[in-house]
Structures are given as structure tokens and as C-alpha cells.
């Protein structure tokens, strides 16, 4: 039972981080109807800036700089690439983000090389006891931080003028534009916020028990993609539920991998994608996604 509790706690913690990343996918999709495949490179950019600066200016200022850098990178991608692509087909713009991801990731991995960079977090490898089980402080910090940020975003999405504008743009962009909503500003803000959330997620993807930031960190970030798809690309609630589902699935399957040896080695890495496929077979729009209705 203690093993099960530990796996659940670790799964919820990891899932909350995946939910942060998935929320970035959802924000951009709701604002622009574009699936952002460059999200992992924004995460890597924010983590790299934090890692490079923390020795010189301290952890919190470095984290702030990393968040600002990722937000600026996201805004620049929208402003200089997608806005100038002049493509009405959202599938074409999604392919453009793949190209952006390749360029940014290649440049960053060239800078990182074979290094494993520390982000200078203050928790180290300390543990605390929860329900009789030792839990890394980084796991608790990840859960608390993700909960605060997701709650703040959901409140802002419901109560602020920006949130109202984004909901209007997601519901009917043409009507929103006629009512005075600046769609370009909504899109720019969405990309900046998604980049900022990715930078925070980069911190908790690279702290203990992982060794640090390396060139493979962006691949770990892509585990959040099934979370966004599973929950529904146009649902903020779906991002939260999908992130927790992916985190718990990965943790439990990896933890009990010995009993699941008949499924093959490394099943924990592919389990989130298998869950995503199983859900999509039943609900193609995801658990909370909007079903598209067509008249025939």
C-alpha cells in the first residue's frame, strides 16, 4: 500500500506539471485554432535561460528571466512567423510550428551539447513524510505551484476582460472581431502566456529526481501532448484532467512494470499514448472537447 500511495503522489505531482504544459496547448488552440507543435522548444528555451543565469543572479531572478524569455519567444513566434505566414488553413500553420520547433530545438541543443544543467532550485533532494510515505519536496512544490497557476488562469479566463475576449474569439472569431475584440492581441497574449507556463513546467521537469536540463528535456515535455488531446484541445478543464490522467498512468505503469513485463520493456513511456488512443476511439474530440456537428 505504501508503494501505491507513493506512486499516486508522484503521479499527481507529475500530472500537475503536464497539465501546465497541456494548458499552454489549449490556450493557443482556443485563441487561434492552431495546434502548437513548437511548445516543447519554448519549454526548453525557458529552462535554458534559467539554468544559465541562476549562478549569477540567484534562483528566483533567473526563473523570472526564464519565464520572460519563454513568453517573449512565444510572442515572437506568433508575431514574426505565424502572423506573416498568410495561411488561412490551420493545418498549414500547425506544420509551420513544427518547422519553428525544429529550428529552436536545434539551436538550443547545440548550446546545451552533452551538458546536464541544473536550474538551481532550492529544494535539492530533500524529502518530507506524507501519510507515512517519503515524498520529494520538489514533487510537493510542483503540485502546489501548478495548482496556484492553473487556478489563477481559470479565474482570469472567467473574470477578466482578456478572458472574455479569448472566450469570444474561441466561440466565434468573426463575430468577436465585429464586436471590437482585437484578435491579434488575443493571439499574441495567448502565445506569451503559453510560453510562460512552459518555462515554469521546465523547472519541475528537470529538478530532483531527474538529473537536470539536457537536450532530451523537450522529448519529456511532449508527454503533455496526449494530455491535451485526451482532455480536449479546446477545454481548459480537459487540460487539467488529461494532465492528471497522464501523470497517474505513467507513474503507476512504470511503478508496476515488473508485473507488466509481458507488455514489453518501457511500457511506462508509451502508456499515456495508449490511453490517449483508447479515449479517442470512443470520444474523438477528447473527454471535454467540443464535438463538431455537421448537417448532412
Amino acid at each position: 500500500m505504501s508503494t501505491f500511495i507513493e506512486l499516486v503522489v508522484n503521479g499527481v505531482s507529475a500530472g500537475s506539471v503536464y497539465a501546465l504544459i497541456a494548458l499552454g496547448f489549449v490556450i493557443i488552440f482556443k485563441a487561434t485554432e492552431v495546434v502548437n507543435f513548437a511548445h516543447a522548444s519554448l519549454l526548453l528555451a525557458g529552462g535554458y535561460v534559467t539554468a544559465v543565469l541562476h549562478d549569477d543572479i540567484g534562483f528566483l531572478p533567473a526563473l523570472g528571466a526564464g519565464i520572460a524569455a519563454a513568453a517573449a519567444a512565444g510572442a515572437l513566434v506568433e508575431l514574426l512567423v505565424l502572423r506573416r505566414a498568410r495561411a488561412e488553413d490551420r493545418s498549414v500553420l500547425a506544420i509551420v510550428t513544427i518547422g519553428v520547433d525544429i529550428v529552436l530545438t536545434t539551436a538550443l541543443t547545440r548550446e546545451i551539447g552533452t551538458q546536464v544543467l541544473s536550474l538551481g532550485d532550492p529544494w535539492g533532494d530533500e524529502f518530507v513524510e506524507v501519510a507515512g510515505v517519503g515524498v520529494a519536496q520538489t514533487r510537493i512544490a510542483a503540485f502546489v505551484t501548478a495548482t496556484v497557476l492553473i487556478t489563477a488562469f481559470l479565474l482570469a479566463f472567467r473574470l477578466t476582460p482578456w478572458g472574455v475576449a479569448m472566450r469570444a474569439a474561441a466561440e466565434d472569431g468573426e463575430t468577436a472581431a465585429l464586436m471590437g475584440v482585437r484578435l491579434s492581441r488575443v493571439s499574441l497574449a495567448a502565445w506569451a502566456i503559453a510560453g510562460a507556463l512552459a518555462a515554469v513546467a521546465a523547472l519541475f521537469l528537470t529538478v530532483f529526481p531527474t538529473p537536470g536540463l539536457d537536450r532530451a528535456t523537450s522529448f519529456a515535455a511532449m508527454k503533455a501532448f496526449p494530455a491535451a488531446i485526451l482532455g480536449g484541445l479546446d477545454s481548459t478543464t480537459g487540460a487539467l484532467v488529461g494532465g492528471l490522467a497522464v501523470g497517474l498512468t505513467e507513474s503507476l505503469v512504470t511503478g508496476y512494470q515488473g508485473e507488466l513485463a509481458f507488455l514489453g520493456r518501457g511500457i511506462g513511456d508509451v502508456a499515456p499514448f495508449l490511453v490517449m488512443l483508447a479515449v479517442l476511439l470512443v470520444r474523438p474530440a477528447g473527454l471535454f472537447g467540443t464535438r463538431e456537428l455537421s448537417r448532412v
Side-chain angles (χ1 to χ4, degrees):
M1 181 57 69
S2 62
T3 299
F4 176 75
I5 294 174
E6 181 179 358
L7 291 175
V8 168
V9 171
N10 289 337
V12 169
S13 173
S16 61
V17 178
Y18 291 148
L20 274 182
I21 306 173
L23 187 59
F25 283 109
V26 170
I27 291 170
I28 291 175
F29 187 81
K30 286 180 75 68
T32 64
E33 295 185 353
V34 174
V35 181
N36 175 27
F37 290 104
H39 206 56
S41 61
L42 298 180
L43 183 147
L44 193 62
Y48 177 73
V49 171
T50 303
V52 169
L53 295 179
H54 77 86
D55 279 338
D56 296 326
I57 63 176
F59 169 68
L60 288 178
L63 178 60
I67 292 172
L76 287 174
V77 169
E78 195 279 337
L79 185 63
L80 301 179
V81 180
L82 296 186
R83 195 174 296 187
R84 295 175 179 272
R86 300 180 184 279
E88 295 185 2
D89 190 338
R90 299 296 186 254
S91 300
V92 173
L93 294 178
I95 294 172
V96 170
T97 65
I98 295 176
V100 171
D101 182 71
I102 293 172
V103 172
L104 289 178
T105 302
T106 300
L108 289 167
T109 52
R110 185 176 300 166
E111 293 295 324
I112 295 171
T114 59
Q115 304 176 80
V116 178
L117 304 176
S118 169
L119 273 67
D121 66 281
W123 305 288
D125 56 359
E126 297 296 323
F127 283 79
V128 295
E129 190 169 309
V130 178
V133 176
V135 180
Q137 287 187 1
T138 53
R139 298 292 193 185
I140 297 174
F143 176 74
V144 172
T145 302
T147 300
V148 170
L149 289 176
I150 291 172
T151 302
F153 173 80
L154 292 177
L155 289 175
F157 188 67
R158 292 289 179 185
L159 303 177
T160 65
W162 174 81
V164 173
M166 175 171 281
R167 281 187 284 141
E171 184 71 25
D172 189 333
E174 292 184 0
T175 302
L178 290 173
M179 297 297 293
V181 174
R182 297 288 295 273
L183 298 182
S184 58
R185 290 185 180 179
V186 171
S187 176
L188 189 69
W191 277 84
I193 291 172
L197 292 176
V200 176
L203 170 66
F204 294 108
L205 283 178
T206 55
V207 294
F208 180 81
T210 56
L213 181 81
D214 59 21
R215 57 198 306 170
T217 299
S218 59
F219 296 109
M222 287 308 293
K223 291 179 183 178
F225 187 67
I229 299 296
L230 187 156
L233 265 176
D234 61 348
S235 171
T236 51
T237 302
L240 175 58
V241 174
L244 293 176
V246 166
L248 284 169
T249 300
E250 182 184 34
S251 178
L252 291 172
V253 173
T254 302
Y256 292 111
Q257 198 160 248
E259 288 79 0
L260 301 173
F262 64 93
L263 295 175
R265 298 179 60 184
I267 185 63
D269 293 330
V270 300
F273 295 91
L274 295 176
V275 172
M276 178 189 73
L277 291 175
V279 170
L280 293 183
L281 288 174
V282 180
R283 291 187 60 86
L287 293 174
F288 297 91
T290 303
R291 298 178 62 183
E292 293 289 339
L293 301 179
S294 57
R295 182 174 298 174
V296 295

